[in-house]
Amino acid sequence: MRYLRRMTTTPSPDAPRTFSDLGLGADLLKALDGLGYEEPTPIQDLGIPHVLAGSDVLGLAATGTGKTAAFTLPMLERITKGGPAPSALILVPTRELAVQVAQAAHRYGREMAVKVLPIYGGQSFGQQLRVLRRGVDVVVATPGRALDHIRRGTLDLVTVEMLVLDEADEMLDMGFAEDLDAIVSELPETRQTLLFSATLGPRITRIAGKYLNDPVEVRIADEPEQDGDGPRIEQRAYLVRRPHKLAALGRVLDMESPEAALVFCRTRNDVDELVEALNARGYRAEAMHGGMSQDERERVMKKLRAGTVDLLVATDVAARGLDISHLTHVVNYDVPNAPKSYVHRIGRVGRAGREGVAITLADPREHGLLRNIERLTRTKIAIDSLPTVADMRAHRMEQTRVALRETLLGGDLDRFRVVVESLNDEFDLWDIAVGAVKMAHEATLAEAAGTEEEIPTASAPRYSHGRGTGKGERRGAKSGAGAGGKSGSGGRRRTPGMVRLFVGAGRQSRIRPGDLVGAITGEAGISGSQIGTIYIADKYSLVEIAEGVSDQVYRAMKSASIKGRRVKVKMDGS
Ligand code: AMP
């Protein structure tokens, strides 16, 4: 076996490097900017320069670390484009991965007009052949189908400059060892070879010795373990497939009722999309990412401190150096690409001795990455099951119970007795009480819209050799979380010193009290304390405003929009 040139490479301790520092060209930088990537992940930081320099690379990286870009970006930079036959061959274990990697290569190579073709079993040969004949730069194939093409003489590999074996351990597990040998023997000796694997066992060392030439080994060096005095943070993860992440996040937020939460995404584009989706569902979310000006960031921070926004959606880069003292929750919408960022992210809660909660939504494929984080940080991340629809219903019922209890304890009920008395001729007292609870409960339901969609359970794929799933205790329904703050009282009597603003949008437009408070404080520049009771009906809402500022509010709201829509406003009774 040929020896490994370097055993381990560690990231540079200096300031984080940018993609352009790594030596990638303008076309790729433009594509990455368009995708909203803010900085290289550790495996990219380490690997890209070696690949660009022409070395063979043995990369140790799990799914979710950014390994696809780590090999695809420098590959696109180096290979000949527009030739008559493929310049690069990427071998992957499954058809899903073939499609995914091909899509990634296509996205990264957008500015270069790179032609990429995924080839996998189950697809018609004819179609693959037609595309191959038109000329393809990068072929992403499962070993079996690649070999079929080679045997039929339909895949010419003599022009291949670069071979990538992605998830090599997985390919060996699936019994592709002989196929790999047969394919590699068709490739020019002069090619550059990259081999990526999540694990490094004797079988990987053996094929690395066979296929790689004087390789550089790239892996993320283990982080120093955490000492025991870290912040007190309850850590939990849910396994959720990408398409169900938004619904899962909604459920988690509704269940947890965070005072203020920081939600992390990997890219700028993910942040923008999530903010839009959350606001459309009635949450109060703002973005924080590297593409924003200092002024914009400060405006967002102000809103967060004032409490008109309670969800901040951010990238790692943007969240560095933010100081949010009342943060109760950190949510990782994706598993961070590196253990180090996980530690940074969750360290934002649990400050000053307060307890914080860190929740991670992980794609089942990223289970291995999660376990890696656990190992390197020496902490336990309990894999929990998402709250079910039944849990959500029970939670909302509990919220209604708590709110009702508070109302009863709060007194000032005499003016409602007449309603009960007049109904008592016709109904049993017990039934009247139950009916009133139903009304109060249903008044909060509009806010919960969207939390009842089905989310299929996702389990870790069979090849994640996790150390048990450590079922954690789910926290019980949080008491004291009133049923929607100022909303839902249904009280239509006017509070002294307040006037009412009529707003022509209500429950049917998914308006929540927070939207009204946010819009009014934001547009009219008044404080939340100058807003009184909010009543939300199906088609309209009534908001009590302190008399002294009502004109100012009316003027501001006349031309303002709520949740992106212009709505009719007038002073009630005018
Ligand atoms: P992979 O480990 O290749 O499966 O990548 C995991 C995810 O990370 C993919 O969704 C990529 O789009 C994303 N990703 C890769 N590199 C970066 C980066 N530098 N910044 C943000 N996201 C990234």
Side-chain angles (χ1 to χ4, degrees):
M1 188 194 132
R2 278 166 279 195
Y3 65 96
L4 293 179
R5 191 143 29 113
R6 202 167 306 157
M7 282 313 292
T8 309
T9 326
T10 41
S12 66
D14 316 330
R17 288 199 282 188
T18 63
F19 281 109
S20 94
D21 294 338
L22 299 184
L24 296 172
D27 283 344
L28 289 171
L29 295 180
K30 195 165 166 203
L32 290 171
D33 191 50
L35 290 168
Y37 286 19
E38 296 193 329
E39 63 178 8
T41 68
I43 199 72
Q44 293 161 4
D45 186 54
L46 292 178
I48 289 173
H50 292 297
V51 182
L52 284 177
S55 298
D56 280 7
V57 167
L58 171 57
L60 274 168
T63 296
T65 52
K67 68 179 165 66
T68 314
F71 61 75
T72 311
L73 292 168
M75 181 187 84
L76 293 175
E77 188 71 55
R78 273 179 73 80
I79 59 167
T80 305
K81 269 93 53 191
S87 304
L89 174 66
I90 303 175
L91 294 173
V92 297
T94 63
R95 72 167 75 175
E96 290 76 25
L97 202 57
V99 171
Q100 217 173 297
V101 171
Q103 277 170 351
H106 186 74
R107 278 201 301 267
Y108 300 141
R110 202 185 57 194
E111 302 292 321
M112 302 169 151
V114 170
K115 297 204 195 79
V116 185
L117 177 68
I119 287 183
Y120 48 85
Q123 239 185 352
S124 96
F125 264 99
Q127 160 121 30
Q128 290 174 353
L129 206 58
R130 271 194 298 281
V131 183
L132 278 170
R133 287 210 179 110
R134 282 205 299 268
V136 166
D137 301 307
V138 179
V139 168
V140 188
T142 51
R145 193 37 95 87
L147 203 55
D148 288 345
H149 271 283
I150 292 170
R151 293 198 170 129
R152 288 176 178 219
T154 46
L155 181 60
D156 186 0
L157 297 175
V158 293
T159 50
V160 166
E161 300 159 355
M162 199 180 283
L163 165 70
V164 182
L165 301 158
D166 188 19
E167 304 205 350
D169 45 354
E170 194 55 23
M171 290 197 280
L172 295 180
D173 280 351
M174 292 172 74
F176 283 133
E178 283 176 18
D179 288 1
L180 292 182
D181 276 344
I183 297 166
V184 174
S185 70
E186 299 287 321
L187 299 169
E189 281 281 326
T190 51
R191 69 173 194 271
Q192 184 179 0
T193 308
L194 317 177
L195 189 155
F196 280 81
S197 172
T199 55
L200 182 61
R203 293 176 315 158
I204 292 294
T205 324
R206 204 170 324 121
I207 64 164
K210 251 197 309 193
Y211 303 152
L212 302 177
N213 183 17
D214 192 15
V216 178
E217 184 179 310
V218 169
R219 68 159 100 186
I220 309 307
D222 284 5
E223 315 265 333
E225 67 184 78
Q226 304 290 298
D227 57 27
D229 308 330
R232 295 194 305 172
I233 303 168
E234 180 194 332
Q235 299 174 55
R236 257 178 291 147
Y238 299 104
L239 298 182
V240 195
R241 286 181 205 290
R242 184 98 204 161
H244 305 115
K245 283 219 171 156
L246 181 61
L249 177 63
R251 221 175 256 188
V252 167
L253 290 174
D254 292 346
M255 204 71 181
E256 298 280 330
S257 322
E259 193 182 321
L262 189 53
V263 182
F264 281 99
C265 291
R266 281 177 179 153
T267 68
R268 221 160 51 211
N269 296 10
D270 290 345
V271 167
D272 285 337
E273 273 171 33
L274 185 57
V275 166
E276 204 178 312
L278 283 173
N279 286 324
R281 287 180 165 228
Y283 296 96
R284 302 183 302 169
E286 287 276 352
M288 180 67 85
H289 58 57
M292 291 163 58
S293 71
Q294 192 55 31
D295 273 2
E296 284 172 313
R297 287 160 182 246
E298 273 164 23
R299 212 168 313 139
V300 170
M301 288 308 291
K302 231 188 209 154
K303 284 191 194 172
L304 196 71
R305 276 189 219 107
T308 52
V309 156
D310 41 31
L311 294 176
L312 193 61
V313 185
T315 55
D316 289 289
V317 174
R320 269 177 215 146
L322 285 187
D323 187 20
I324 313 162
S325 55
H326 62 301
L327 211 57
T328 53
H329 288 69
V330 162
V331 182
N332 295 311
Y333 196 63
D334 302 291
V335 185
N337 290 122
K340 202 166 86 187
S341 8
Y342 181 84
V343 174
H344 279 160
R345 287 178 179 192
I346 71 165
R348 315 313 300 267
V349 286
R351 290 184 165 187
R354 295 201 304 173
E355 227 167 287
V357 181
I359 293 171
T360 302
L361 303 181
D363 188 281
R365 289 181 50 82
E366 292 168 350
H367 196 241
L369 185 59
L370 209 56
R371 292 288 165 234
N372 240 358
I373 291 172
E374 265 193 327
R375 194 172 52 77
L376 294 180
T377 58
R378 303 203 181 228
T379 53
K380 179 96 199 106
I381 307 172
I383 306 261
D384 211 343
S385 29
L386 271 177
T388 61
V389 171
D391 290 339
M392 300 303 298
R393 287 191 187 142
H395 177 68
R396 283 198 293 271
M397 200 61 93
E398 173 61 13
Q399 284 184 313
T400 300
R401 194 189 70 80
V402 169
L404 182 58
R405 190 166 175 273
E406 278 173 6
T407 304
L408 291 169
L409 290 174
D412 192 22
L413 300 169
D414 285 345
R415 58 205 166 98
F416 301 103
R417 287 188 197 280
V418 55
V419 178
V420 180
E421 273 155 20
S422 69
L423 287 169
N424 199 16
D425 295 343
E426 196 182 346
F427 301 97
D428 177 61
L429 260 185
W430 185 261
D431 287 342
I432 297 171
V434 174
V437 173
K438 178 172 186 256
M439 255 177 76
H441 186 70
E442 285 175 353
T444 66
L445 281 190
E447 292 181 34
T451 55
E452 297 222 337
E453 57 208 82
E454 281 304 321
I455 305 176
T457 49
S459 50
R462 72 177 168 73
Y463 52 82
S464 306
H465 307 294
R467 289 174 281 124
T469 53
K471 278 264 173 207
E473 289 269 297
R474 183 147 356 102
R475 283 152 36 111
K478 205 160 94 179
S479 62
K486 294 176 173 193
S487 74
S489 76
R492 316 223 9 213
R493 285 169 69 95
R494 207 174 291 188
T495 309
M498 294 272 181
V499 291
R500 281 198 304 207
L501 180 75
F502 169 94
V503 179
R507 212 170 298 155
Q508 286 179 356
S509 325
R510 295 207 169 176
I511 292 288
R512 298 184 355 146
D515 302 320
L516 294 166
V517 176
I520 293 169
T521 53
E523 295 295 333
I526 65 165
S527 83
S529 63
Q530 290 166 302
I531 298 177
T533 305
I534 296 175
Y535 174 73
I536 300 184
D538 276 350
K539 295 204 164 85
Y540 67 91
S541 309
L542 295 171
V543 185
E544 284 190 339
I545 309 284
E547 239 158 10
V549 292
S550 62
D551 281 346
Q552 179 185 339
V553 170
Y554 175 61
R555 275 198 307 275
M557 295 308 291
K558 260 197 326 195
S559 53
S561 53
I562 298 179
K563 296 184 84 173
R565 258 183 302 165
R566 294 290 286 270
V567 292
K568 192 171 151 191
V569 292
K570 58 181 186 175
M571 294 318 294
D572 195 28
S574 64

